[in-house]
Structures are given as C-alpha cells and as structure tokens.
Amino acid sequence: MKKHYYLSILLVFILGIQTKAQEALFGAQQITSPEIHENSTVTFRFAAPNAESVEITGDFLPTVKMETPMGQMDGPGKSALTKDDKGIWSFTSSALSPELYSYSFIVDGLKVTDPNNPFLIRDVASVTNVFLVGEGQAALYRVKDVPHGTVAKRWYDSPGLGMDRRLTIYTPPGYEQSNEKFPVLYLLHGAGGDEEAWIALGRTAQIMDNLIAQGKAKPMIVVMPNGNVIQDGAPGEGSDGMYKPQFMVPKTMDGTYEANFMDIIKFVEANYQVKADKANRAIAGLSMGGYHTMHISRFYPNTFDYMGLFSAAIMPREDATGKVYSDLDGTLKTQMDNGYKLYWIAIGKTDFLYDANKEYRAKLDAMGMPYEYVESEGGHIWRNWRVYLTQFAPQLFK
C-alpha cells in the first residue's frame, strides 16, 4: 500500500512539473526574434494579428533629437514593421557594425518588450531587450572561454552618510586563490544609474575578463558604487523596496557623495587584497560619474594617479555651494602639482556636454595641466562609454 501511495505522489509531482513546462511552452510565441544573419543584418518579429501598427525603436537605428531632463539629446529612431498573412510583423535592419544593441517595439502607440527575446536590461526606469552582433569591439562584451573574475554585491558602512550601502565589486580571475595585492579602479555611473549600471549596461565583467586574458589590462579590482546618497541600494535592492527609479534624485551632485567617498575606499582597503597607495588607485565615471570623478580627485588631490572623465557632466550648478566645490582652480593646481600618471577625457562629437568639456579643457590648458583627450563619434550613449572603458583600462597601473 505504501509503495502505491509513494508512486502516486511521485506521479502527481511529475505531472505538475510537466504542466508548468507546458504552460511556459504554450505561453511563448513560437517565432524567432531577433534573428541575426551571417551578413550582420537582423530580423525582428512580433506576433500581433489584431494590431493596427507595429514599430521598432532602438539604438541601431538613425538617431533623432529628443527633449530630456538634461536638455536636448540624441535618442533612438524608429521604423515600421510589415505584417504578413499570418499576423506576424517583421523588420530587417541594414548590416550592423559589431556592438551590443538595445530595442523595444511600439504596438499601437504602446512601447513593449520583445516576448521572444528573454534578454532584458534596465536603464534608469526603462527596460529594453538587448542583442549582440559580430565580433570586433563586440567580442569584448561577450563571455569568452577565458578565466573569469567574480562579481559580488557587498554592503559597506558609510559613517558619513549614516547608513550601510550597497556596491558592486569585480575581482579578477584567480583572486580568491591568490595572496597577491591588486590595484583598484573605482568606476562611477551617471545620473539615474546605481550600483547595477556599469556591470549590466557597461558589460564591465566581460570587458575586464577579456582584456586581462588578452594581456591588454593588468588584473585589477573594479569597484562600482551607488552615487545616489539618499539610497542604500538600487531600486528594488535597498531598504526602500520596489519603486520606480528616477533620473535625478534629491541631493544628486550636491557634494555629499564626493565628500564621503573615502568611506568606500576605506571599506575596500580593509576588506580586499589591494595595493593601498596613489599609484594603484584609479577613478573614472560617465556623465554624472565623470563630474564626481573630477571633483573627488581634486578634493582628495593626492589619492589617485589615474582619472577618467567619460562624457563628464561638467556644468555649473546652483546648488554646488558646498565645501567640495570651493576653490576649483586652487585644488586643480594642487592636484597637478602633486603629480599623476593619467588624466583622460573622452566625449562624443554630438554629445550635449561637448561644449562644457571644451571649456573645461581650455581651463586645463590655461593652467598647463596635462591630460589626454579622445573625441569619438556619437553622443551621450552607453555605446561610447563601453568603448571608453576598453580604451581606459589598458592604460592603468603601468
């Protein structure tokens, strides 16, 4: 009797698993999207027989001007899909250069993700699908058969901010088995981002694994903190629970983050095998993170030997009145006089911050403060910032 009872329970369990599997199978559309072809064109498909119109928008399409909280910026264009007699809408792109791309559909005016592509990514409050095309630059964004580092989410005590806070940290391949001490890159996100941004949108772990494996970058620890001082963690990951992320939260870029940045450095140097000196510290960031990089590195002018300003948001702010922002010229001169190995500035030709960066470079030129400058195509986009990381990291700790 017991044997039959256990067999019955097992049968119910197996049938339950099969039912769930069938639900997942029948709930999915049985079409392929995106389909990446050998000639690097990509076909997108969407099943919506009753829809009046379906469009696609993504960063692989020609850009258009858009109004944003930061002013007019380049944004993704859109194209129409065509419907066949089965109600499947489709669109095939032109040949795309190697890159990580993002996209969404617009169905009768409503933006939606691709139900046939499970690969999604969040940028501030927008969720889009992503896909990779080709090798070349995109090869650095792929998971390759090379030794891999470790990505951890850690909580650290910030006495200056009065809370425990979350950060993302990459340790290089072999770190756990090594007694060696490593240099550290502090990598900062832009407005609306958080400690998830660089590891997800920036492909930091894949880039570092591949550069280290190729011998192009030294093994290093990469620390990606949360630059929003009112948060202890990213939306959905902190004590405030699940809420809609905002582009500019209170106390953004008011000096509080910069003034308390040493809390992060102290945590890293107390808990990781690091070389705790100026020659083995680098700091870099995109947009707001570039602004933070500029101010942190001059406010603590003998702390970093390597600085990277990626599309830095160097602009006057009415609330920039704290101690961190005082005596800009004097602290920059102190930083210059102390000496450093690399002050690296990069920006796209159509970036809305281009003129502000041009003015900042003129200030450095007038001071005689040395820097390296890279000017790329494109605007204020992750495509540029990933490339900048692949260019900046190989120059560190030489």
Side-chain angles (χ1 to χ4, degrees), residues 54-323:
V54 179
E55 297 174 301
I56 189 168
T57 180
D59 56 6
F60 61 92
L61 294 167
T63 59
V64 296
K65 294 295 183 183
M66 301 177 65
E67 292 297 331
T68 77
M70 297 289 283
Q72 195 175 70
M73 296 171 59
D74 289 340
K78 59 184 180 181
S79 290
L81 280 72
T82 56
K83 184 169 70 169
D84 66 13
D85 57 3
K86 296 179 182 178
I88 305 296
W89 298 77
S90 65
F91 169 81
T92 299
S93 73
S94 59
L96 301 180
S97 58
E99 186 52 73
L100 174 73
Y101 295 99
S102 62
Y103 71 100
S104 300
F105 290 119
I106 304 171
V107 181
D108 291 341
L110 177 66
K111 184 180 284 190
V112 298
T113 55
D114 187 343
N116 293 287
N117 182 355
F119 303 107
L120 298 157
I121 205 162
R122 176 179 68 85
D123 189 2
V124 193
S126 298
V127 178
T128 58
N129 294 100
V130 293
F131 63 98
L132 270 165
V133 172
E135 289 296 317
Q137 180 70 24
L140 291 171
Y141 310 151
R142 295 182 183 276
V143 176
K144 297 285 190 176
D145 186 14
V146 299
H148 300 296
T150 298
V151 176
K153 308 298 173 74
R154 294 291 306 270
W155 291 83
Y156 72 97
D157 176 33
S158 177
L161 299 178
M163 67 176 90
D164 287 345
R165 306 191 74 234
R166 189 172 180 259
L167 54 75
T168 302
I169 190 160
Y170 166 91
T171 49
Y175 171 85
E176 291 84 358
Q177 295 79 36
S178 175
N179 293 320
E180 181 183 349
K181 292 185 176 182
F182 295 88
V184 183
L185 165 62
Y186 294 87
L187 190 59
L188 314 183
H189 63 78
D194 46 59
E195 74 274 15
E196 304 282 346
W198 264 111
I199 205 68
L201 293 151
R203 306 291 283 184
T204 303
Q206 292 87 348
I207 288 170
M208 295 310 303
D209 282 352
N210 289 322
L211 288 177
I212 292 169
Q214 294 170 15
K216 293 180 179 177
K218 285 199 168 185
M220 67 185 78
I221 293 171
V222 183
V223 178
M224 293 155 276
N226 187 322
N228 306 307
V229 295
I230 68 166
Q231 298 175 341
D232 57 358
E237 301 291 348
S239 60
D240 289 334
M242 299 180 183
Y243 59 93
K244 185 176 180 178
Q246 298 178 44
F247 182 68
M248 297 285 279
V249 301
K251 299 184 73 65
T252 294
M253 298 165 71
D254 72 347
T256 306
Y257 181 59
E258 296 97 319
N260 293 283
F261 196 80
M262 291 305 295
D263 288 349
I264 297 170
I265 294 178
K266 288 174 183 175
F267 167 78
V268 171
E269 295 183 352
N271 289 274
Y272 287 85
Q273 299 159 204
V274 303
K275 297 176 180 178
D277 60 3
K278 178 185 174 188
N280 289 286
R281 293 193 203 102
I283 186 168
L286 70 92
S287 193
M288 179 181 79
Y291 173 94
H292 285 149
T293 293
M294 186 265 280
H295 287 298
I296 290 167
S297 66
R298 65 166 191 79
F299 189 66
Y300 301 105
N302 206 28
T303 304
F304 304 95
D305 251 352
Y306 303 87
M307 283 68 63
L309 281 62
F310 305 167
S311 309
I314 300 170
M315 57 180 69
R317 293 180 56 84
E318 293 179 1
D319 55 356
T321 57
K323 181 181 178 182

Side-chain angles (χ1 to χ4, degrees), residues 39-59:
N39 63 356
S40 295
T41 62
V42 181
T43 298
F44 304 86
R45 299 181 178 92
F46 194 90
N50 298 320
E52 295 293 327
S53 71
V54 179
E55 297 174 301
I56 189 168
T57 180
D59 56 6

